[in-house]
Amino acid sequence: MGGMTEEDRHTRNGEIGPAEWLAMNRTGSFDWDLDTDTIDVDSSGLLVFGLSPDAFDGRPTTLVTRLAAGERDRLNEVVRQAVTGGEVSYTAHFPIPQDDGPPHWTHVQARILRSPDGWARRIVGVVRDTTAEVTRFAFVQELEKRREVQTNIVERTTNALSRAVTVDDVTAALTGPGGLARLGADGLALGLVENGSLNIIALSGESLDVLDDLRVRRLDRGFPLAEAVLSGRPRFVSSFPSLGKDFPQLAPYLARLQFRAACYLPLVAQARSLGGMVLFYRGRTSFNADERNLALGLAAIVAQSLQRAILFDEERELATGLQATMLPRRIPAISGGEIAVRYHAAWSGRQVGGDWYDVIPLPRGRVGVVVGDVQGHDTHAAAIMGQLRIALRAYAGEGHAPSTVLARASRFLAELDTNRFATCTYAQVDLGSGTLRAVRAGHLGPLIRHNDGRVGQPNLRGGLPLGLATVFGDEEFPETRLDLVPGETLVLCTDGLVEQPGSDIEAGLAALSDAIASGPPQAEALADHLSERLWERWGSGDDVALLVLRRSPDPGTPKAPRIHQYIHQADPQGLSDARTAVGQALRDWGMPELADDAELMTGELLVNVLLHTEGGAVLTLEVLPEPVRRVRLSVQDRSSAWPRRRTPGEAATSGRGLMLLDALATRWGVEPRGEGKAVWCEIGPATVPADTTASGA
């Protein structure tokens, strides 16, 4: 029994020694005499500090010899602050390095005993080995961290896919910015089953472009994703070389993929196999149970989103197909102008609207244009729209006046007994003369882009919406006559282009006017421009019908150039703009010597029309061909009253217009023009006597 320690004899005799006691409660005690700077530690406490009783000399510095220098300094500072600060206790937690493994964590809880004068005399306390607790805490903390990461992956993916409506939206959520990070993966491939094939619709991640050759493959077991789809079972791959052995056709591609692991997941929703998804990883070589469950959960979320998106796309295709059959299949060619139409269907599944447009050839070379909207957003509204469009087209084709066309269309809609109403704007246009007769039934009025870039909103008097007008016995649709000079453009649209929930329609009209003013002059190009500028508005829940009609420009010839401009009676700035345009045109044409007289005559002719007639005026400036190069000004209005000559007094502020014509013009006169007249004058070398057949004003 020689050489046996006291601890060994306790153990041999079945008694509990310090090691056994420490193993049970992992706690020891100490008594520190501050006056002598000695500390008494029991055997269990010395074991906590990693010291044997024979090696301990009772000095506090010896007790903490095994601690790292930084930990010793921190412990000394805790004790010093407690002693000098008048505290009655302190605690400390620190690691003690071990020769054969990780450090042991130790917790000290001490009480400071002071004399009546407050001087610290002794410190007594306990030390406890908390390594097991710390290890358990670290394990639990790591577990909670992993679970938090997995929860975030699920929550962020679910949130991103909850806003996905179409299949394109689903792929954008998975492959767009942050998509792979949300999934916790480094690469993704997504495939859909279509007609016996597996079509890869999305690839995201570095090096995955090497799989482009495999985007469309027959659905067979020659590839792991197809095998997962057919079997309905996931496949977790931790070794790409072994995957190449199982799938030889894939082997040539694997060496070029910069990943170490992957999971092949079937996408199944309501017992229907939709396709499959692959998640690729660079830093992972295995999948534990939690990671496998996470991958399966992500596959379920994606499958449900794809199922909703596929159903939406199918319904959308059906609804838009029905709507397309109700709209004109082609737009007839017109003489003297160009027409462009656009239609944008709202993104709301089967909830399509009843917006429509039409272009109707009319007798005597005229053309009818209409844009309208049937109440409601469903297939019933689309069906009513088709019937109403055909009826209105028939009434217009019979040659009726615009007011009569809408009155009959209103009666037709009321007789359908659908409890629906419709709004529309209809116009008959004579592109030869530029005369436009428009009517409005509860709808937005037209916008006109003038040749100088200004966009006007003519004030069209309106009637009640179609259907309601008949129900309330008020089928009056007053006509408004407008002029469309060569080069000007008429724009008709439905409210989906300018009206949004929660926003002012005036703001939408202003945005539309700005877009028209900044767009190109050609009808097709302008329609495309409006589509691109207002695409955000078109993403709303309402349909949009757009019609752009431009009268062909009439610039004349290089030797005989010509400009036209419409001046609205309610636009005081238009008079100044017209004078400026005339002067600038003559300077551009190399006739600056006539600019001042032409500007003065322009003002006199326009003021006379705007003051003494109702409606606007059309100004035409042209250079008459040689042999005598001169300028001709013409102002056309709708009044049948001809100007008459007056003799103004010295204090009179008007009545001198025709006197100026006599003084400045080489020739002038008045001509009947359709429903009105034109007052004209020529400036330049005289060739014949002035025309005195017109009554003076």
Side-chain angles (χ1 to χ4, degrees), residues 152-154 156-157 160 172-185 298:
N152 286 338
I153 288 175
V154 172
R156 289 186 299 171
T157 302
L174 297 177
T175 63
L180 291 177
R182 283 192 293 267
L183 294 169
L298 291 175

Side-chain angles (χ1 to χ4, degrees), residues 628 630 665-668 680 682 684-692:
V628 180
R630 60 192 185 280
T666 304
R667 305 174 62 219
W668 69 272
W680 58 269
E682 294 179 2
T687 55
V688 296
D691 186 346
T692 58

Side-chain angles (χ1 to χ4, degrees), residues 322-347:
L322 170 63
Q323 201 167 31
T325 61
M326 302 296 179
L327 293 171
R329 294 193 175 184
R330 65 179 185 85
I331 298 299
I334 60 173
S335 176
E338 50 182 322
I339 291 181
V341 294
R342 295 291 184 272
Y343 192 88
H344 175 81
W347 290 96

Side-chain angles (χ1 to χ4, degrees), residues 186-199:
D186 301 306
L188 171 137
L190 184 66
L192 290 182
V193 175
E194 298 176 358
N195 301 323
S197 297
L198 183 61
N199 299 337

